[in-house]
Amino acid sequence: MITNKLKNYVLPCAIALFSFTSVHAQNKATAATEGKINQIIKKMTLAEKIAMLHGNALFSSEGVKRLGIPELTCDDGPLGVREEVLRFDWKSAKWTTDSATFFPNGSAIAATWNPALANKFGVAMGEEANARKKIVMLAPAFNICRMPLCGRTYEYYSEDPFLNAQLAIQSVKGIQSQHVAACVKHFAVNNQETQRNSINAVVDQRALREIYLPAFKASIQQGGAYTIMSAYNKVNGYWCSENDFLLNKILKQEWGFKGAVMSDWGGTHTSVNAAKAGLDIEMGSSGPYDEWYFANPLLAAVKAGKVSENVINDKVHRILWVMFHTSMSANHPAGKMNTPAHSKTVYDIASESIVLLKNEKHLLPLNTTSIKSIAVIGDNATHKFSLGGFGAGVKARYEVTALAGLKSRLGNSVDIQFAQGYKPDYQTTYTDQQKEDANKPNQALIDQAVATAKGTDAAILFVGSNRDYESEGQDRKSLILPFGEQQLINAVTAVNPNTIVVVIGGAPYDLNEIKKANHTIVFSWFNGSEGGNALADVLIGKVNPSGKLPFTFPASLGDSPAFALNTYPGENGTANYKEGILVGYRWFDTKKIDPLYCFGYGLSYTDFAYSGFSTNKKVYNKSEEITARLKLKNIGKYAGKETVQLYISKVNSAVLKPEKELKAFKKIWVEAGKEAVVSMALNVKDLAYYNDKTDKWVVEPGQYKIMAGSSSRDIRAVGSINVQ
Ligand code: GLC
């Protein structure tokens, strides 16, 4: 029993003393680091400083050997530490010690709606980066999913800036907990792969501030990201690698970024402009390195007085600051590769990422007492997803496929027969005609699959895409399921009514026909080394699916804003983001367009009832915090997790506002039949919109609707609050 004196006096003093000493200690450490950095810079020659500002090989930039400063080594990518490549060539270094853990892709992590798992991902990948002696991991990548065909949607997280930010913060914190620098990318407004090296994204200030920048701001101010990668494209007429507004004004001055900005590979365009606009390190693919913009030409520019040495010193300071937090930090962990804990992290993410889209026939979870034979059909049942996608490829130490996962769970009790069903005959280098031909059904394989499915109690189709079909450097041409899969689905479901369709991909697909036919649908992802085990455990009911879509699945491409306004891929090299802030569900809800599946959608094997929704107050001033609470009851027979989403909508706003905006969410486990209290908090200032006339964040006074939902379109409770 804590006496009142202890609780009201001693404890607060102890906490205050602890926090004062720890802040004081932190400040002392910062001052000490600053002192060391400034001492080092004083000893460096101009040539040594310049050498630090550009690549000296594919994945490194110079240190200062004579002063004990190591090279800055970096590596890809968002799905794991890529295999070692040659120092001066993208070819594999053919190591035997660089197999790594293949982590679930970005949109899979997003589909978990579980920032704690994003943190676990970061910790595990940081440990593997240390084991490979990488100081900077070129991850996480979280450009907003503005356009559903973007080839890198699978690497990114979401269409919503708030969900993006929560995942970015935690991924960065996880990676950097291991004294490895995260490199958040691609800064900024890099939302298509078509003409990615040249497109000029024209975006208004409000959309920039409310949609495209928040996750980057959060990853730096709340995640503490040590480095950031400037994107290939232009924003409002200026290359991202020399965009003074983005790099100096917003990133370094307004957000207080202390770390280093590195360019995307080959994404630097000048010496003087880029140096003055805030780029710190020029990275690229091939030498001669001394001829790069930030090498001899920059040295000459400094000597000619075009760039002051103070500008160079600031860049060196930033790079050394990153090093003192990483390779030159005290107690720098040695790291470890491919541990059971890493595999567990992959499994946990994968199993929470899988989205149950439709289960009206209750074919799931599989009834393994009555089902004695299963036809497993589709190349994606045996396909491996770790390699591909340029820098996002991983030489996985192992990868459990869907078929292997099912066999490991059911192999002794159920007769499993496999049929390939379709050939994923696709190469990024194919001509458009070859790509079109690749989407024709393979009748022989379909006939074989039908013959297999005719004779089994159930059939599970594994369709969707793969890491060649979704990749950096290209956008998809349509939402259709590739490789003639729809014809396969129609043929198999015609002969076996107990067919489950599992779509594996990293982005939205056209599932209209499958949905209309009322088939059972599961959406899974490029789900890492344990992907097949997690998928099997969801299908047999060992795991109750809890994934929710991190982006809208349009019913048709023309419904999505970039196509509705004909701004993709842009004209004469300019993509005009005419939809402004109405990205994703903000567009569909405000324009009252029904999507195929909405943002935040995902079913469970159980059901949840929402009740008792309330807020801590009815009227708030602008500096207060809003707490929303509700009771969540599991009214089904399976324990499971629900992600309660909190949306806000301004009543009679004086300016254009989306119909609703996500402002908080909470994922919570509830046993069958039990009830839990869910509490979510947000600040009134989080309701602000960006007034691009005054360049200020403004909280409109007046009435707001506050909504709790199981998805953006399944609102279960509505409240009203007033802001004075
Ligand atoms: C690429 C990508 C970037 C990657 C870099 C190094 O072009 O855009 O994400 O980290 O080059 O591979």
Side-chain angles (χ1 to χ4, degrees):
M1 165 79 166
I2 291 181
T3 63
N4 277 341
K5 185 163 177 280
L6 179 65
K7 195 171 76 174
N8 298 331
Y9 181 71
V10 174
L11 269 183
C13 288
I15 291 166
L17 180 65
F18 172 76
S19 55
F20 171 77
T21 45
S22 61
V23 167
H24 179 66
Q26 215 171 3
N27 290 344
K28 257 184 75 179
T30 306
T33 303
E34 280 301 302
K36 285 180 198 158
I37 290 173
N38 292 331
Q39 281 311 312
I40 292 168
I41 292 174
K42 279 201 186 92
K43 292 176 190 157
M44 289 172 72
T45 66
L46 178 58
E48 286 170 331
K49 294 174 187 174
I50 296 291
M52 288 184 86
L53 308 188
H54 62 84
N56 63 353
L58 258 186
F59 281 110
S60 62
S61 50
E62 207 53 81
V64 189
K65 274 192 197 64
R66 69 182 182 85
L67 299 176
I69 311 295
E71 279 188 336
L72 190 75
T73 57
C74 58
D75 211 346
D76 289 309
L79 279 61
V81 185
R82 77 185 283 180
E83 72 175 297
E84 198 67 19
V85 293
L86 295 176
R87 186 167 165 78
F88 302 109
D89 189 312
W90 291 103
K91 288 196 195 77
S92 166
K94 298 202 186 327
W95 282 15
T96 55
T97 56
D98 58 350
S99 295
T101 299
F102 163 32
F103 293 97
N105 65 289
S107 49
I109 293 175
T112 70
W113 284 65
N114 189 337
L117 287 177
N119 187 289
K120 284 177 75 174
F121 149 76
V123 169
M125 189 160 82
E127 289 183 334
E128 301 214 350
N130 275 327
R132 287 276 302 282
K133 309 236 178 305
K134 308 298 180 184
I135 297 174
V136 181
M137 276 308 291
L138 305 173
F142 46 78
N143 289 97
I144 283 282
C145 304
R146 167 188 184 250
M147 193 278 298
L149 302 181
C150 176
R152 301 185 83 164
T153 301
Y154 82 93
E155 281 188 78
Y156 301 157
Y157 289 149
S158 170
E159 67 188 25
D160 176 82
F162 180 78
L163 176 59
N164 239 16
Q166 304 318 306
L167 299 165
I169 292 165
Q170 293 306 327
S171 298
V172 167
K173 283 188 167 187
I175 293 169
Q176 298 189 164
S177 70
Q178 302 308 306
H179 301 211
V180 172
C183 182
V184 294
K185 66 186 187 181
H186 306 87
F187 192 61
V189 202
N190 176 195
N191 310 101
Q192 65 186 60
E193 289 301 289
T194 304
Q195 301 167 29
R196 68 168 175 161
N197 294 86
S198 59
I199 198 77
N200 176 25
V202 172
V203 57
D204 65 63
Q205 285 307 306
R206 196 169 163 209
L208 196 58
R209 295 285 187 162
E210 293 187 25
I211 304 294
Y212 298 100
L213 294 184
F216 286 105
K217 178 178 181 181
S219 70
I220 281 148
Q221 293 195 329
Q222 294 162 263
Y226 298 152
T227 68
I228 186 168
M229 185 188 293
S230 59
Y232 280 127
N233 53 284
K234 288 181 183 174
V235 173
N236 294 332
Y238 295 90
W239 296 112
C240 285
S241 59
E242 54 188 63
N243 194 307
D244 179 69
F245 179 70
L246 285 179
L247 301 183
N248 280 335
K249 291 206 177 25
I250 292 186
L251 177 66
K252 294 181 176 179
Q253 290 156 29
E254 189 181 311
W255 295 351
F257 178 60
K258 290 186 165 39
V261 180
M262 68 169 72
S263 74
D264 202 337
W265 267 236
T268 305
H269 296 270
T270 59
S271 300
V272 174
N273 290 351
K276 289 182 172 176
L279 182 69
D280 299 310
I281 308 174
E282 174 187 8
M283 293 306 287
S285 298
S286 51
Y289 297 99
D290 284 348
E291 292 171 20
W292 282 14
Y293 292 108
F294 270 28
N296 290 343
L298 182 57
L299 181 60
V302 174
K303 285 178 176 168
K306 291 179 189 161
V307 177
S308 92
E309 188 155 355
N310 289 340
V311 168
I312 302 302
N313 290 342
D314 175 65
K315 299 181 194 303
V316 174
H317 189 287
R318 290 172 177 277
I319 294 165
L320 290 172
W321 184 86
V322 172
M323 288 182 165
F324 272 95
H325 285 79
T326 55
S327 54
M328 294 168 69
S329 63
N331 320 314
H332 186 202
K336 38 196 162 184
M337 295 295 286
N338 301 312
T339 68
H342 295 175
S343 294
K344 172 87 172 55
T345 291
V346 172
Y347 176 85
D348 290 346
I349 295 168
S351 55
E352 285 206 24
S353 71
I354 295 165
V355 184
L356 179 61
L357 292 176
K358 204 172 179 55
N359 191 25
E360 280 159 30
K361 297 177 188 166
H362 300 290
L363 294 181
L364 290 175
L366 287 169
N367 181 338
T368 50
T369 45
S370 63
I371 293 172
K372 289 302 164 210
S373 57
I374 298 177
V376 170
I377 295 167
D379 183 80
N380 266 354
T382 58
H383 202 97
K384 296 204 172 183
F385 301 101
S386 68
L387 288 170
F390 297 51
V394 179
K395 182 164 82 174
R397 188 170 67 83
Y398 73 96
E399 180 181 350
V400 179
T401 64
L403 179 61
L406 277 172
K407 282 185 170 170
S408 76
R409 267 74 177 155
L410 298 175
N412 300 331
S413 56
V414 175
D415 170 31
I416 293 176
Q417 298 166 36
F418 171 69
Q420 188 182 12
Y422 67 89
K423 262 209 181 82
D425 166 24
Y426 185 90
Q427 299 299 329
T428 47
T429 50
Y430 272 8
T431 63
D432 284 352
Q433 185 53 53
Q434 285 174 308
K435 289 179 181 175
E436 215 179 282
D437 294 344
N439 283 336
K440 292 195 172 62
N442 182 315
Q443 199 51 53
L445 289 178
I446 290 178
D447 294 345
Q448 199 183 45
V450 165
T452 307
K454 263 184 183 156
T456 56
D457 296 334
I460 308 177
L461 281 156
F462 290 93
V463 294
S465 77
N466 57 44
R467 299 289 308 286
D468 297 320
Y469 192 70
E470 293 183 45
S471 169
E472 170 183 340
Q474 58 166 18
D475 295 328
R476 282 183 289 153
K477 292 278 182 285
S478 82
L479 291 170
I480 61 153
L481 287 168
F483 316 132
E485 292 167 3
Q486 189 60 60
Q487 289 85 338
L488 169 68
I489 293 163
N490 296 347
V492 169
T493 52
V495 297
N496 193 323
N498 297 333
T499 296
I500 293 136
V501 183
V502 178
V503 184
I504 294 176
Y509 279 85
D510 174 354
L511 308 179
N512 283 290
E513 210 174 322
I514 310 172
K515 180 179 180 182
K516 272 193 202 102
N518 197 26
H519 294 314
T520 304
I521 313 171
V522 172
F523 197 89
S524 191
W525 310 88
F526 304 132
N527 245 339
S529 297
E530 286 287 328
N533 285 333
L535 188 47
D537 285 344
V538 165
L539 294 172
I540 66 174
K542 185 167 172 239
V543 168
N544 187 353
S546 63
K548 300 257 184 194
L549 296 177
F551 32 62
T552 306
F553 276 42
S556 103
L557 203 48
D559 291 345
S560 93
F563 292 89
L565 301 175
N566 193 24
T567 60
Y568 169 80
E571 275 171 29
N572 308 320
T574 293
N576 190 343
Y577 285 29
K578 285 179 193 161
E579 75 280 358
I581 57 170
L582 299 183
V583 174
Y585 70 93
R586 287 171 164 78
W587 171 269
F588 285 84
D589 294 354
T590 308
K591 302 291 184 185
K592 310 231 177 307
I593 300 168
D594 290 337
L596 178 69
Y597 288 109
C598 70
F599 172 76
Y601 178 85
L603 302 176
S604 168
Y605 291 148
T606 193
D607 288 307
F608 295 97
Y610 290 46
S611 65
F613 184 55
S614 67
T615 51
N616 58 319
K617 292 174 69 176
K618 282 293 167 211
V619 180
Y620 296 86
N621 67 44
K622 294 182 182 176
S623 59
E624 288 186 290
E625 181 182 83
I626 302 164
T627 306
R629 293 159 60 91
L630 59 87
K631 285 185 275 187
L632 185 73
K633 184 166 187 181
N634 182 336
I635 55 176
K637 57 182 175 27
Y638 288 93
K641 290 188 176 185
E642 167 70 325
T643 300
V644 177
Q645 300 153 45
L646 198 71
Y647 295 91
I648 285 281
S649 171
K650 178 71 184 68
V651 176
N652 298 329
S653 172
V655 296
L656 168 74
K657 286 270 182 86
E659 191 264 351
K660 67 170 80 74
E661 296 177 90
L662 180 73
K663 293 293 178 185
F665 60 89
K666 180 136 306 168
K667 187 167 195 178
I668 182 165
W669 169 269
V670 188
E671 292 292 344
K674 298 287 184 220
E675 185 170 74
V677 173
V678 181
S679 171
M680 291 167 283
L682 68 146
N683 296 314
V684 171
K685 70 175 174 49
D686 297 333
L687 309 183
Y689 75 93
Y690 191 78
N691 181 328
D692 48 12
K693 294 179 183 50
T694 61
D695 270 344
K696 293 254 183 305
W697 287 94
V698 175
V699 176
E700 255 189 302
Q703 193 188 349
Y704 290 79
K705 262 190 348 181
I706 182 165
M707 300 161 269
S710 184
S711 81
S712 60
R713 291 208 169 202
D714 181 3
I715 299 300
R716 304 286 183 86
V718 181
S720 173
I721 60 170
N722 228 298
V723 173
Q724 280 170 337

